[in-house]
Amino acid sequence: MTTRTELAGQPQLAHVPGRAFGLYIHVPFCATRCGYCDFNTYTPAELGGANPDGWLAALRVELRLAAESVGSVPVQTVFVGGGTPTLLGGAGLAAVLGAVRDNFELAVDAEVTTEANPESTSPAMFATLREAGYTRISLGMQSAAPQVLAVLDRTHSPGRAPAAALEARAAGFDHVNIDLIYGTPGETDDDLRRSIDVAVGAGVDHVSAYSLIVEDGTALARRVRRGEIARPDDDVLAQRYELLDNRLSAAGMHWYEVSNWSRAGGECRHNLGYWEGGEWWGAGPGAHGFLGDTRWWNVKHPNAYAQALTENRLPVADFEELDARDRHVEEVMLRVRVRDGLPVPLLDADERARAERLCGEGLLLAQGEALVLTDRGRLLADAVVRDLLG
């Protein structure tokens, strides 16, 4: 792998014809910081004068520069994440999509998603987003249990997320996702069952569920270090994952990636682009992009981001060039996580021998020309990748 210290100047960014292409847009604003979050987000006190209007003006410049680099390739997916995109309001998010359209052609069937904090949404906002051209809403619920939300420092009430999902469906959104976090200290099996049932009852067609990770530098990590709460237990996390899978499957949602379940047709195409070797431009402070063999990431603070674009230059903090081995490792790591599986022809002779052993151990299953994780294999997906690669 070659890093920027070995390369001169800015990365040379160009789309490879034939690969899926999407846009990720990072909104860095949050009203408060959740205790477990280590994302590139900023509360009002941390912005140093930056504001949504200045961010949007800078974003317009980055999207223009991106279009000049990429050319006339149709955008198949747009994902607006954060942070809390819905703090921009319906009109602000419509302006974001307008800036995309000013610089790129959207595919006729483009998937356009925004993340949403339930407390900063309303029926009127969902109606505005649908009219603007958004096709998918991803709601951060995390849990329906008040004590779990308290540990996570989430500010929304337990009932607001399902209400928001119903409002989104009423506004015409066919695709609504709810995010869950499992394994929070103090959570019980019944808490998780209730959260799953609330999500399913809200009529969503997709659920993303992630085990709680204690990230260094977060408020949650400091509480664990002080002994105030226990670190999540691996055995409990495995048990909760099995509970999730069984309950969601019984409700008609089936896994298509290790941490994602959907009804037929409800898969998130943008995220599938990540897992299946697509390309994307990451716009906004701290956003990551990937084109050709180049991965890059933007400067983090909104002020530094805006300053670079005021000078009409890409706000790249650093980048790396992936060699053939890097690409192979990533392809194995990502493709093995999806339900369609890892194509056997991608593997060399030694890796195929290791895959045969993993099949014998009940971690992989051969389905035609693909290797698919078994139920037990999904619990040990990272270890399966390490074993495959040797």
Side-chain angles (χ1 to χ4, degrees):
M1 182 182 296
T2 306
T3 64
R4 190 173 66 132
T5 56
E6 299 162 299
L7 294 165
Q10 295 277 294
Q12 300 299 307
L13 301 175
H15 171 65
V16 176
R19 287 189 191 167
F21 177 70
L23 289 174
Y24 172 78
I25 297 174
H26 188 72
V27 181
F29 308 111
C30 277
T32 60
R33 186 178 301 283
C34 299
Y36 61 92
C37 179
D38 73 337
F39 295 163
N40 187 48
T41 62
Y42 301 84
T43 62
E46 299 167 330
L47 284 170
N51 59 67
D53 288 342
W55 167 85
L56 180 57
L59 177 72
R60 291 182 186 278
V61 177
E62 185 180 7
L63 290 173
R64 175 177 59 78
L65 295 174
E68 291 172 0
S69 294
V70 172
S72 59
V73 55
V75 176
Q76 294 167 341
T77 64
V78 179
F79 195 104
V80 183
T84 309
T86 41
L87 285 180
L88 300 176
L93 282 168
V96 169
L97 190 52
V100 170
R101 287 198 174 100
D102 287 343
N103 293 282
F104 289 94
E105 175 193 353
L106 288 183
V108 174
D109 63 344
E111 176 191 86
V112 184
T113 305
T114 184
E115 291 180 339
N117 184 312
E119 292 292 345
S120 56
T121 62
S122 67
M125 174 183 284
F126 288 127
T128 298
L129 295 178
R130 190 70 193 93
E131 184 177 358
Y134 285 83
T135 66
R136 186 181 190 94
I137 298 292
S138 183
L139 292 159
M141 183 173 96
Q142 318 315 347
S143 177
Q147 76 276 13
V148 173
L149 293 176
V151 171
L152 296 173
D153 292 326
R154 294 289 294 186
T155 58
H156 66 80
S157 61
R160 179 56 201 149
L166 291 170
E167 291 166 3
R169 294 300 301 272
F173 283 94
D174 294 328
H175 302 301
V176 181
N177 173 64
I178 275 181
D179 280 351
L180 298 176
I181 288 178
Y182 61 94
T184 301
E187 178 191 62
T188 66
D189 286 353
D190 281 344
D191 289 334
L192 183 56
R193 290 189 188 97
R194 194 157 49 248
S195 298
I196 298 166
D197 291 348
V198 166
V200 171
V204 301
D205 67 339
H206 190 290
V207 170
S208 301
Y210 306 99
S211 63
L212 180 65
I213 297 175
V214 180
E215 301 284 4
D216 290 341
T218 62
L220 181 65
R222 291 190 289 273
R223 294 186 67 190
V224 170
R225 189 167 57 249
R226 291 194 297 264
E228 295 176 12
I229 56 176
R231 186 175 293 274
D233 180 88
D234 288 343
D235 290 337
V236 172
L237 293 177
Q239 176 192 354
R240 297 276 160 76
Y241 182 89
E242 291 174 331
L243 189 160
L244 269 158
D245 188 49
N246 290 335
R247 209 163 184 89
L248 287 170
S249 296
M253 292 189 201
H254 302 287
W255 79 282
Y256 70 97
E257 191 274 341
V258 168
S259 298
N260 291 272
W261 292 257
S262 77
R263 302 190 190 282
E267 299 85 356
C268 179
R269 287 166 47 205
H270 184 84
N271 287 342
L272 279 170
Y274 295 151
W275 299 318
E276 295 181 347
E279 297 186 330
W280 69 95
W281 189 285
H288 287 227
F290 180 70
L291 290 173
D293 292 322
T294 305
R295 179 185 292 107
W296 77 98
W297 47 99
N298 285 346
V299 295
K300 287 189 172 183
H301 198 280
N303 283 335
Y305 171 77
Q307 180 60 41
L309 289 157
T310 298
E311 299 167 2
N312 204 42
R313 60 182 174 86
L314 290 174
V316 174
D318 211 342
F319 65 94
E320 59 193 15
E321 297 288 345
L322 277 61
D323 59 24
R325 177 61 183 172
D326 298 327
R327 290 299 308 272
H328 177 70
V329 168
E330 289 202 353
E331 193 163 24
V332 170
M333 178 180 67
L334 294 171
R335 295 291 290 270
V336 81
R337 294 181 62 88
V338 298
R339 181 65 181 83
D340 287 345
L342 172 67
V344 174
L346 292 179
L347 303 180
D348 63 28
D350 289 340
E351 289 165 343
R352 293 186 192 194
R354 290 192 285 268
E356 187 174 346
R357 174 176 54 79
L358 290 166
C359 287
E361 293 173 1
L363 298 173
L364 286 173
L365 179 66
Q367 293 187 347
E369 283 290 288
L371 296 166
V372 179
L373 290 169
T374 63
D375 291 348
R376 180 166 167 261
R378 279 188 280 156
L379 296 173
L380 301 168
D382 291 343
V384 169
V385 171
R386 288 194 298 270
D387 285 353
L388 268 175
L389 293 170

